[in-house]
Amino acid sequence: IYIKKAEGFPSAQVSLCGRSHPWPAAAALPFKKGFKSISFALQGRLPGIKVKYLLVVWLGIFVGSWVAYMHYSSYSELCRGHVCRMIICDQYKKGIISGSTCKDLCEERSLLFQHCLSSSPSQQVYRGLWRDREVIIKCGIGEALRADSRPDSVPRRDVVLFDKPTRGTSMDEFKEMLLNFLKSKLGDQPSLPALVSRTITMADVNRDGKVSLAEAKSIWALLQLNEFLLMFSLHEKEHTAKLLGHCGDLYVTEKIPHTSLYGVDVPPFLQSLLPSIGHQLIHQWFAPAWPRRAKIAIGLLEFVEEIFHGTYGSFYICESSLRNVGYNDKYDFKMVNLHKVATEMTIRGFLKGRHCEQNGDCTYGRDCTATCDKLLKQCKSDMVQPNLAKVCGLLQDYLLYGAPLELKEELQKQLRTCMTLSGLASQMEVHHSLVLNNLKTLLWKKISNTKYS
């Protein structure tokens, strides 16, 4: 629409789609003034608006491209399920390995890789589907990839870790191999012969009462994996994920629905952007009801009790993090990640003869710190902080938020006492057990005989 005042005429002319129409002067004047004021305003602001708009668009494109690139790069680096399947199935078809899931993985394709959960290229972790059941699939491909620079190529037979036992090894020799290996990892425990028998039973996939060379190679490769060894050793405990099957050194476990104590964890790309108060608010919003948190906490305390002088020795939690612990749909505690748990023998081997200037030099993982003998400049084997103290530090905010008023003061007192525990747990076993049982009893009394128990 275009408006003008025709000279010598009392009214304005309105040109609409090429045709002129009369417009009363009284009506045209305010319209004309308003139109001019808007035009001047836009002309004054438009350059600034254009620059700001272009800057925002450019910034959005740059950030979006960077996020997409980083996501793609990290995904392609971390998520190599196709390589894992290729390696395992190649060995299976050659008759080198065996396992209860090999046929489903390589022939029937009923074991499916789905969502990638890997945090390391050498340790592939996937959420998957097996016979209409949601599972977790774990596979280590580090050695095979290091042996061949091309990640998508099938590794040669002679560079794969399935090299023991060798052909000609008798059943008695294999049992002796297993016993000596378990002693080196778990210590000389009286229960180890029973664990060897269970290993043989698991290796016998076809249940013919014999262990073939492929079956023996597979179970031997699995035992070299720290998490599998711990999961296998703690099989009688209800607080670790259940093993469902294996093929070579690939193994399948049950899926744990909630992989954080709070039910939800802050996504990795937001963790560095959000302040600590933001993390805290998100956790509080999504946390289960307090009685359910109490039940989960009791399960975590029971797990600490189970790995303290357990059937197969002592175990240490070397990273107390919300990412390593979770629970199922019934609010029963489950240990999500056993990679950060170490056997006593593993830590002793790490500390033996280790040079140090301070306690920090004697740290295995992130949290397993021993004392430093400053005269000898060598690490001792005594842990500065037992498992229970680490767990109570993890549970402090978790249990105090929303706790019943009549319980809060006593709960805070007991958690504070628990967090101050120090020294070698074996030298204060009575005190350790007393603190643990007092805390469990306090929580259990509050939720027992309710729907939450």
Side-chain angles (χ1 to χ4, degrees), residues 122-136:
S122 61
Q123 182 62 37
Q124 294 293 291
V125 183
Y126 282 81
R127 189 181 297 133
L129 197 65
W130 186 31
R131 298 175 182 175
D132 299 325
R133 176 180 183 177
E134 287 190 274
V135 295
I136 298 296

Side-chain angles (χ1 to χ4, degrees), residues 157-283:
R157 181 181 301 204
D158 58 340
V159 300
V160 182
L161 285 177
F162 307 109
D163 57 348
K164 291 183 181 180
T166 56
R167 188 174 297 279
T169 303
S170 68
M171 194 64 172
D172 289 338
E173 288 173 331
F174 183 52
K175 287 181 179 179
E176 190 66 23
M177 278 178 61
L178 289 173
L179 184 60
N180 291 334
F181 173 77
L182 292 173
K183 280 182 181 179
S184 69
K185 293 296 183 180
L186 303 175
D188 192 1
Q189 310 294 333
S191 55
L192 289 187
L195 192 60
V196 170
S197 298
R198 185 171 178 269
T199 305
I200 296 294
T201 302
M202 184 177 181
D204 183 15
V205 176
N206 57 9
R207 301 291 183 265
D208 62 354
K210 302 174 185 178
V211 176
S212 67
L213 185 60
E215 290 172 339
K217 284 178 180 289
S218 298
I219 200 69
W220 180 261
L222 280 170
L223 289 174
Q224 311 310 306
L225 305 175
N226 179 65
E227 186 183 40
F228 180 88
L229 177 63
L230 296 180
M231 200 178 292
F232 190 65
S233 304
L234 298 169
H235 69 279
E236 297 172 346
K237 314 304 180 185
E238 61 178 311
H239 300 304
T240 55
K242 288 183 174 58
L243 285 165
L244 302 177
H246 73 281
C247 180
D249 64 349
L250 174 148
Y251 58 102
V252 181
T253 71
E254 68 172 328
K255 178 193 168 187
I256 299 171
H258 305 281
T259 55
S260 170
L261 283 179
Y262 287 96
V264 67
D265 209 355
V266 180
F269 65 91
L270 285 178
Q271 287 178 2
S272 58
L273 300 176
L274 284 177
S276 57
I277 187 67
H279 287 247
Q280 187 178 0
L281 287 173
I282 289 174
H283 286 154

Side-chain angles (χ1 to χ4, degrees), residues 78-79 116-125 337 339-340:
L78 293 176
C79 303
C116 178
L117 306 172
S118 305
S119 58
S120 167
S122 61
Q123 182 62 37
Q124 294 293 291
V125 183
N337 186 1
H339 281 294
K340 307 302 181 182

Side-chain angles (χ1 to χ4, degrees), residues 19 148 227 233 331 401:
R19 296 183 182 180
D148 195 322
E227 186 183 40
S233 304
Y331 299 94
Y401 167 69

